[in-house]
Amino acid sequence: MTDTELFELLETRLFTAVVGDVLDQMGLRRQFLPAGIAPLQPGMKIAGRAMPVLEADIFDDAPEAAAGPLSRKPFGLMLEALDDLRPGEIYVATGAALRYALWGELMATRATYLKAASAILDGYVRDAAGIEALGFPTFCRGVYAQDQGPRGKVIDYRCAIEIDGVRIQPGALLFGDREGVLVIPREAEAEAIRRAVDKAETETEVERAIRGGMSAAQALETFGVM
């Protein structure tokens, strides 16, 4: 199926718990991002391809002796990374300390225009009301108004990153809802999605059986799912 069809399938028929269970069965047992990364609003649900962004902290205003190529460039490569978003991609950023916001309303406005799917921040966002008004799906560790400008820069993008030991390669399939965010490796996604659809259908049968009086132990023995 196309990516558009895949994203629609994830968002309409599946949820992270069932896909996570399947990944566990496939031996991929460290695919959930930390529980602290949650939707800005509970109903937000996302599916898309990762566009990883690497952040770094800064601690002064570029003294004359600074030799780094980004020393005197405000926000580093943040604006270039934002402008490089493609339809269906998710801006996913990590590397910064938890002392400033990594995303805001103007960034969400630009991402919406570019038809990006979402943003996932291993950190805070600001302008939360504006982001919510846009309806742009955003996952983060919370809200905090302190600005990135004098405190952090983007130093690379479309590069591999890790969040709490979970590797995110460019183009990896990301899937999130109110119960968590999953990183689904490209080489495993076809099998994982097929098995997740089967499991979700089986769980529907189990629910009907339990509502009809079947015991939990009998349901597990009968369906292999509980």
Side-chain angles (χ1 to χ4, degrees), residues 125-207:
V125 304
R126 55 190 260 164
D127 312 320
I131 295 170
E132 291 167 352
L134 282 169
F136 186 76
T138 303
F139 283 58
C140 59
R141 288 188 179 269
V143 296
Y144 185 41
Q146 185 148 269
D147 187 30
Q148 177 171 201
R151 300 176 180 88
K153 294 180 185 287
V154 170
I155 60 172
D156 204 356
Y157 61 97
R158 296 199 181 279
C159 58
I161 59 174
E162 288 191 3
I163 299 177
D164 197 26
V166 181
R167 177 67 61 95
I168 304 173
Q169 296 281 1
L173 180 60
L174 302 177
F175 178 40
D177 58 25
R178 65 183 300 181
E179 296 187 353
V181 178
L182 277 171
V183 181
I184 307 170
R186 190 181 284 271
E187 63 274 13
E189 67 183 47
E191 180 181 355
I193 299 307
R194 176 183 58 77
R195 291 173 62 170
V197 169
D198 290 344
K199 187 173 191 295
E201 292 174 351
T202 301
E203 287 186 352
T204 300
E205 295 180 36
V206 172
E207 182 181 6

Side-chain angles (χ1 to χ4, degrees), residues 70-93:
L70 299 177
S71 293
R72 293 166 186 83
K73 185 175 175 57
F75 301 106
L77 299 174
M78 186 183 79
L79 302 182
E80 287 83 349
L82 179 63
D83 285 339
D84 198 47
L85 278 169
R86 301 165 191 166
E89 286 191 329
I90 295 176
Y91 184 106
V92 51

